[in-house]
């Protein structure tokens, strides 16, 4: 996330004459002061969000089909029973109710967001902004494709459905690296001998130089376990808080590529050479919470058996954005609030301190939740809400399996005086049970039969009704989360007409629509508006974008070279409608039926009172696109000249007066086939 920020502003106070990065060098008093303030804010957030870790871990267990057999039973108030286990069966399985429900909801939500292309659509606010908005929409589509926005949205919505919070961080990304450019030709030398002359003079065919490889908006899904919002503000109003941040893991080389050592004083990171020293001098508990079940901290992912002095390691980087008064923090002379970006490595070294230059003046985070509550910090996710039902379903089904397992082996009543006990306790595939001499004697005397020496106990399945209860609980889950059998691609348990099934799907779709509109309003809309402002502010590289539709027809080309000036204007984000897209096959059938029916009505093939006729080619294109053909235009071939446009009446009259045109009724045909008075 390479941002182009200039941290040092003109200062009126001489104490700020020294460059900020010099004053924040590792070990200085200001460095320790800033580090302490950042650590306090991260710890404040972590104390509150860590209270959710246990519930989130239980959700992950459902999705991963895992059961902790040693876990104690828990009361509804979340207190544990010390002498009672939650799952009393040593062999148990998870019924994938949570996983199935999650997949259905994610599939429906993703189909809503991906139904329109591009995902982010904008329109100009004024007449002068219409053309620029089309270009902005095209370059935004390029940014979304480059960042693989489908994966970002899927990850964030999955977190929201599981944990109740999905987080996306947006930024303007400048990717540094080596650029390879062809060496320009030597002036005045024919092309045929350019290569030989370069070889003789030692001039390389290409030049390598360090610079900006690419730039553009970037969105990243943030792990909720490692998200640091201000807990004193409700979760959906994070822009009103004092700080917001997250943790990520970065290699030393990643940090070096974006440091002042390579890119100069206006680069993102500094103090990079001290981060290894800081870890050795002051090791801290910086365990990645997602890996806490295996105690996988950073010490375990370093080289151990062998050492490599060239390996620089991997570090936990906490990026924290703080709204502050620079003069109070000793950063600058400004006495009004500003947003500053900080980063620290392993809670030991401050490696970033820059005033945010974003014109939008916001924290670059957006959150989404399926159960919106404007007054609480954290909400429950869809999977978490069904946690109790999922555990009851597991218990009911496992109790049934345990009952079946208990009766798979014989339950026999016998006396070891008459039956060889070893034969009963160690059965084999060819089972032989021997009688004792005492039993044989009684049989020979005729007083007993062989069957009288043991008795097979009966098998009574008292858990058969548990399966029906599992079905009832599944139905309750469907009612809670709007994921019924037809939406899941399953047949209904009872016979229903097509109309009934369609109404069931429509009702479920309306619930999914509401969730999609909430996600769009909470996260996608603010992300899109900030991305638009970033493009208008930071774009430096001219680049070609692929354009389609009306803009392509207007420009007469499929690709357009875009620069910053073309992106200026005022735009509105067009929100997601929340309508579940229809089945493509049925949608295509509708258009094909329209095309067939219109072709059988002669009146539609003639101009109406308004002078308009049905465009059968447009109907055919729409049907083809509904079937999934996006490049149907490529199959239209030009085999006849395009008919010339009819001149306006005013132009015709002017040409007649000039003698260049005559009415057809007055035209005199010459012997050579020309028309007298036709002029041009």
């Amino acid at each position: 996330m390479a941002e182009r920020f200039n941290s040092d502003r003109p200062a009126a106070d001489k104490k700020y004459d020294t460059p900020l990065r010099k004053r924040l060098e590792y070990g200085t008093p200001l460095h320790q002061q800033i580090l302490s303030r950042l650590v306090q804010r991260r710890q404040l957030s972590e104390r509150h969000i860590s209270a959710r870790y246990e519930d989130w871990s239980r959700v992950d267990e459902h999705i991963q089909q895992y059961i902790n057999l040693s876990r104690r039973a828990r009361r509804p108030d979340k207190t544990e029973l010390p002498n009672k286990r939650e799952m009393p069966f040593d062999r148990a399985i998870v019924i994938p109710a949570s996983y199935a429900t999650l997949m259905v909801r994610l599939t429906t939500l993703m189909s809503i967001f991906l139904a329109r292309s591009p995902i982010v659509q904008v329109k100009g606010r004024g007449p002068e902004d219409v053309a620029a908005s089309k270009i902005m929409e095209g370059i935004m589509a390029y940014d979304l494709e480059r960042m693989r926005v489908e994966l970002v949205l899927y990850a964030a919505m999955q977190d929201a459905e599981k944990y109740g919070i999905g987080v996306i961080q947006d930024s303007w990304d400048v990717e540094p690296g080596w650029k390879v450019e062809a060496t320009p030709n030597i002036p005045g030398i024919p092309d045929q001998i350019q290569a030989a002359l370069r070889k003789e003079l030692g001039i390389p065919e290409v030049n390598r130089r360090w610079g900006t490889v690419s730039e553009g908006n970037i969105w990243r899904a943030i792990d909720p376990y490692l998200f640091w919002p201000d807990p004193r503000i409700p979760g959906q109003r994070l822009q009103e808080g004092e700080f917001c941040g997250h943790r990520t893991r970065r290699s030393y080389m990643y940090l070096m590529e974006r440091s002042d050592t390579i890119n100069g004083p206006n680069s993102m990171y500094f103090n990079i050479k001290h981060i290894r020293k800081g870890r050795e001098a002051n090791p801290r508990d910086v365990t990645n919470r997602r890996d806490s079940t295996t105690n996988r901290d950073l010490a375990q992912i370093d080289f151990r058996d062998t050492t490599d002095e060239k390996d620089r390691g991997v570090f936990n980087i906490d990026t924290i954005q703080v709204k502050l008064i620079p003069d109070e923090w000793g950063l600058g002379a400004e006495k009004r609030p500003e947003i500053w970006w900080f980063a620290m490595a392993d809670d030991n070294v401050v490696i970033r301190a820059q005033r945010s230059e974003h014109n939008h003046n916001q924290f670059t985070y957006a959150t989404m939740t399926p159960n919106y509550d404007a007054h609480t910090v954290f909400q429950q996710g869809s999977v978490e809400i069904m946690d109790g039902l999922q555990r009851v379903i597991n218990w009911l089904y496992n109790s049934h399996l345990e009952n079946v397992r208990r009766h798979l082996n014989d339950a026999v009543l016998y006396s070891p005086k008459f039956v060889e006990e070893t034969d009963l306790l160690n059965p084999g595939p060819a089972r032989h049970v021997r009688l004792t001499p005492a039993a044989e004697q009684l049989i020979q005397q005729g007083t007993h039969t062989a069957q009288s020496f043991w008795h097979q106990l009966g098998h009574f399945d008292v858990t058969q009704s548990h399966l029906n209860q599992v079905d009832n609980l599944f139905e309750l889950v469907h009612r809670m989360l709007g994921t019924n059998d037809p939406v899941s691609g399953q047949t209904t348990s009872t016979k229903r007409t097509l109309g009934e099934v369609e109404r069931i799907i429509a009702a479920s779709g309306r619930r999914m629509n509401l969730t999609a509109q909430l996600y769009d309003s909470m996260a996608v809309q603010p992300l899109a508006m900030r991305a638009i402002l970033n493009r208008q502010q930071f774009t430096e590289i001219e680049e070609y974008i692929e354009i389609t539709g009306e803009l392509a027809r207007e420009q007469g080309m499929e690709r357009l070279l875009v620069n910053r000036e073309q992106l200026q204007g005022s735009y509105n984000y067009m929100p997601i409608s929340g309508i579940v897209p229809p089945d493509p096959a049925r949608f295509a059938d509708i258009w094909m039926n329209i095309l067939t029916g219109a072709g059988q009505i002669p009146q539609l093939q003639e101009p109406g009172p308004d002078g308009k006729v049905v465009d059968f080619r447009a109907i055919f294109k729409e049907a083809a696109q509904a079937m999934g053909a996006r490049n149907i235009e490529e199959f239209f071939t030009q085999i006849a000249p395009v008919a010339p446009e009819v001149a306006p009446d005013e132009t015709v009259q002017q040409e007649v007066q000039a003698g260049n045109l005559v009415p057809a009724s007055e035209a005199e045909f010459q012997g050579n086939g020309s028309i007298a008075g036709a002029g041009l």
Side-chain angles (χ1 to χ4, degrees), residues 492-508:
T492 57
S493 57
T494 58
K495 274 191 174 183
R496 296 183 182 274
T497 64
L498 176 60
E500 289 177 326
V501 172
E502 289 182 340
R503 286 194 294 273
I504 293 172
I505 295 176
S508 175

Side-chain angles (χ1 to χ4, degrees), residues 4 99 120 148 177 200 241 291 425 429 463 499 503 618:
R4 294 194 312 274
Y99 178 81
V120 173
R148 300 182 182 180
E200 182 178 348
D291 300 328
L425 298 181
T463 64
R503 286 194 294 273

Side-chain angles (χ1 to χ4, degrees), residues 434-449:
R434 294 170 298 174
L435 298 177
T436 64
E440 292 178 358
Q441 184 178 1
L442 292 175
I443 293 176
Q444 292 173 356
Q445 293 174 356
T447 57
H448 291 77
T449 62

Side-chain angles (χ1 to χ4, degrees), residues 508-565:
S508 175
R510 285 192 290 270
R511 296 186 62 176
M512 293 293 103
N513 292 340
L514 175 60
T515 303
Q517 290 173 336
L518 287 175
Y519 286 167
D520 182 57
S521 179
M522 288 185 285
V524 180
Q525 182 173 348
L527 288 169
M529 294 307 299
R530 290 200 294 264
I532 290 172
L533 294 175
N534 289 345
R535 265 294 173 185
Q536 292 177 327
Q537 180 182 0
F538 295 121
T539 299
E540 288 188 355
I541 300 176
E542 289 188 340
E543 53 191 334
Y544 281 95
I545 62 169
E546 184 176 359
I547 56 177
T548 58
E550 184 179 352
L551 180 59
R553 291 192 293 270
E554 292 176 357
Q555 299 293 329
M557 61 183 70
E558 295 181 353
R559 283 169 174 78
L560 183 66
L561 184 63
V562 177
N563 55 42
R564 185 190 299 179
E565 286 69 27

Side-chain angles (χ1 to χ4, degrees), residues 32-60:
Q32 295 305 117
Q33 183 184 54
I34 298 298
L35 178 66
S36 176
R37 288 176 172 172
L38 296 178
V39 170
Q40 288 177 4
R41 282 159 175 78
R42 182 193 62 76
Q43 291 177 344
L44 169 64
S45 182
E46 189 174 15
R47 281 198 304 272
H48 285 76
I49 203 168
S50 61
R52 302 278 292 134
Y53 289 167
E54 182 182 358
D55 292 330
W56 290 354
S57 296
R58 289 172 175 262
V59 169
D60 288 332

Side-chain angles (χ1 to χ4, degrees), residues 17 53 57 151 165 247 256 288 318 358 383 461 486 522 597:
D17 288 346
Y53 289 167
S57 296
L151 300 180
I165 180 172
R247 173 175 292 174
M256 179 61 71
N288 188 332
D318 288 304
H358 287 286
V383 179
D461 187 0
M522 288 185 285

